[in-house]
Amino acid sequence: MDTYYLIARNRKDNTFKVLKLQETWYLGREKGREDVFTRGNNLEAIDLVTTRFSSESEMAERMAMHGYIPDSNVDIFIASKRKKDGKSYIRFDEVLYNQNANRNAAIRRVAQTSLAGDFRADSYDLGYIYDEVISLAYSADDYLDMLLDGEMNVPKNFAEQLRVIKGQVEIPTDLKDSANFGARDYATVRNIVESINRLESLGCTSREDRYILNGEFIEVNIGKRMALVPELAVQLDKDYVEGQLSLFSLLDEEGKKKVVEATAAIAAEEKLYPAKIKVDRSLEKDQKRKEIYRVLRSLPVGAIYKERGSDEFKVNLDLFLHYPLAEDEAKKVNTYLTGNLPKYFAWYMRDYRLLCDANKDGFTPPSEIAEMQKDVEYDIKRIDNRFKSSKCLNMAYEWCMVMEGALKRDKAVSEGAKVVTDTDDKAKTYGKK
C-alpha cells in the first residue's frame, strides 16, 4: 500500500514541513492513541483529518495556532513517492476539505471503511459520489473535458468511462450500474470528490474560463512544489530518519558553495515582480468581453462600493495596501469606467456571488436560485448594452487588466517580492507569478 505525506509549504521562503498525524485525529479517541504521531500515513487517514476543515486557510490557521507550523501562509498538499519503469518520482495530490456537507459525509464514510480494509465498490456512498460526477459531467462540458484531458487528478481510465456522456439527451444515471463502471481503489474515489470540489471553487456556472482558471490553480503552486522534489525524495523515503543528512551533505565544500549560490540566485529571481502592468490589447472583442467577466468574478468583495450618502460608485483603492497604484494606473482605475458602468459592475459582482453562495449551501430553494440567475443575466444584459460601444469595451477591458495586475503585484509584495522596473533584464524573465 502506498504511503502518503501531508506537506505544508511555506509560501514566503518555500521551505516545507511534513505534518505528523496523531492517531486520535482519524481513528477517534476510542481507537486512536494520543501518544502516536506518524509522518507517513494512508491516504484515508489524511482525508479523515483534513475533511474536518472547510478550507486550507482554516486548517492552516488552526495548525499555526497550536504550533504545528510557524506561519499560516502555507500551501498544503499531499505527496507520495512512487516508482515507474524502474524510476522514482514524486506524485502530488490536492487536499480534500469539507466544501459540501453531504458529499463530505459520503467520502468520510468511504474513507473509514477503506481504512479498515473494506473498500466496497458497490457501497451506497460510492453510488452517491458516482451520481454526482455523472450529473456534473453531463451538465458541464468543461468539467468533462478537463477530466478527459487529464487536467484533474482523476485517473484516465475512470475519466474514459464518462466519455459516453457526450451527446446524451438525458443524464445517464444508470451508467453507474454498468458492469465495468467505477473505481477500483480509494485514491480514485477521493480524487473524483476533489475534482468536484475544485470545479465548484472555480465558479458556479459552466463557462469557458473555468478551464483557464483550473490551469491557473495548478500553475500557482506547481513550480514551487517541483522545487522541493530533491529534498522530498529524501524525506519521503521509507528508511528516512528525521534529522539525517541529505545528499547535499556528501558534496565537498566547493560543491556546497555552488549549490548555495545557485539556490540563492533562483530564490532572488523568483521574488522579482515587474512594476509595469502589461496589457495585451491585441485580443478580439469577444475575447476582451470574456476577460472582463472573468476578472469581475475574481475581484475581492467591495472592489467597487457605493459611497455613503451618495449615489456614486467608487473603486476601493484601499485594496492596494503594500504597493500603491502608480499615477497613470490610478488615472485608469478611477476614470476608465464611465457612465453607469461602475454601478453595473458592482451589481454584477454582488449578484454573481449571491448566486454562487446559494448554489453551494444546498438549502436555497430552486425558485430563489432561478430568480438570482435572472438577476445575473439582467446585469450582464445591461453591461453588454454598454459594450456596443467599442470605446467603452476597450476602456473597461483596460480597467480590468490594470486592477487584476495591480492586485497580483500587491499580493506578491506582501509575500516578499521585490518590484523591479523594465530596465532590469530579470523583470522580463521572471515577471510571471
Side-chain angles (χ1 to χ4, degrees), residues 73-117:
N73 185 17
V74 291
D75 161 35
I76 303 175
F77 62 95
I78 299 168
S80 54
K81 193 172 183 179
R82 309 293 183 86
K83 281 191 175 182
K84 185 176 182 180
D85 300 329
K87 297 180 180 179
S88 295
Y89 69 98
I90 301 296
R91 174 187 168 89
F92 298 136
D93 285 289
E94 302 299 331
V95 174
L96 274 185
Y97 296 107
N98 181 6
Q99 291 183 214
N100 175 283
N102 292 333
R103 187 184 313 133
N104 198 62
I107 192 60
R108 283 182 63 82
R109 285 191 291 265
V110 173
Q112 287 163 350
T113 56
S114 181
L115 187 61

Side-chain angles (χ1 to χ4, degrees), residues 410-425:
D410 192 84
K411 184 175 184 294
V413 172
S414 74
E415 295 174 353
K418 176 186 175 183
V419 175
V420 293
T421 66
D422 284 343
T423 58
D424 190 328
D425 290 338

Side-chain angles (χ1 to χ4, degrees), residues 39 234-246:
R39 298 172 74 254
V234 174
Q235 292 202 28
L236 270 56
D237 191 279
K238 64 179 181 179
D239 297 321
Y240 174 79
V241 178
E242 285 187 83
Q244 78 178 53
L245 299 176
S246 68

